[in-house]
Amino acid sequence: QVTENASASAQAARERESELQRSLDQVTENASASAKATEVRENASQSALDKLMKYASDCVETLKEEHASKLQALACAHETETQARQREYRQEISSVRHLLMKYGKEKKELEKEHTRTIER
């Protein structure tokens, strides 16, 4: 009877140990799956962050290019305006020179005429 009881008890202990091992294996498997899922989420988050950072960098570059383009356009417009003003100034100077030469000739003619009038 004692042997039977000991044998039954040993069998129950083995079954309980086997059941505990299965539970431990299940917990380990669940923990591993959870860790893998966490790793996948972290990788996805990092990938999304990387894409966002790349997009932000591209936006900054685009803004820099647009700003540079606008500055270039302003510089060209200013240069064109400056050149137009210089052309106008040169024309005015030429007109003034022409008038001075004309005035000089007229003055000389008047002086000659005056001298002739006095001589008469």
Side-chain angles (χ1 to χ4, degrees):
Q1 182 65 31
V2 172
T3 303
E4 274 184 29
N5 286 346
S7 178
S9 181
Q11 180 62 31
R14 281 192 298 275
E15 287 174 5
R16 180 69 181 140
E17 182 182 351
S18 179
E19 184 180 311
L20 288 173
Q21 186 60 48
R22 281 192 301 275
S23 292
L24 179 61
D25 291 346
Q26 185 64 44
V27 166
T28 303
E29 186 179 315
N30 289 345
S32 176
S34 178
K36 285 182 182 178
T38 299
E39 183 180 349
V40 166
R41 280 192 302 273
E42 286 174 355
N43 288 342
S45 294
Q46 186 62 46
S47 176
L49 179 61
D50 291 344
K51 287 178 184 175
L52 184 59
M53 292 300 289
K54 173 75 170 104
Y55 176 73
S57 176
D58 290 348
C59 287
V60 167
E61 286 304 313
T62 299
L63 288 174
K64 282 181 183 177
E65 290 169 6
E66 288 175 1
H67 185 67
S69 177
K70 287 178 183 177
L71 286 176
Q72 181 66 29
L74 284 173
C76 287
H78 179 70
E79 182 177 348
T80 301
E81 186 178 326
T82 301
Q83 289 171 348
R85 282 187 187 153
Q86 287 174 344
R87 211 172 17 259
E88 289 174 13
Y89 294 153
R90 282 193 294 272
Q91 289 172 351
E92 286 180 27
I93 290 169
S94 178
S95 295
V96 168
R97 282 184 181 151
H98 177 73
L99 288 173
L100 286 172
M101 286 188 334
K102 184 178 176 183
Y103 172 75
K105 287 179 183 177
E106 288 178 5
K107 183 180 173 190
K108 284 180 184 179
E109 286 178 19
L110 286 173
E111 286 174 351
K112 283 180 186 177
E113 191 175 314
H114 179 67
T115 305
R116 277 188 244 139
T117 303
I118 291 175
E119 289 175 352
R120 286 189 213 159

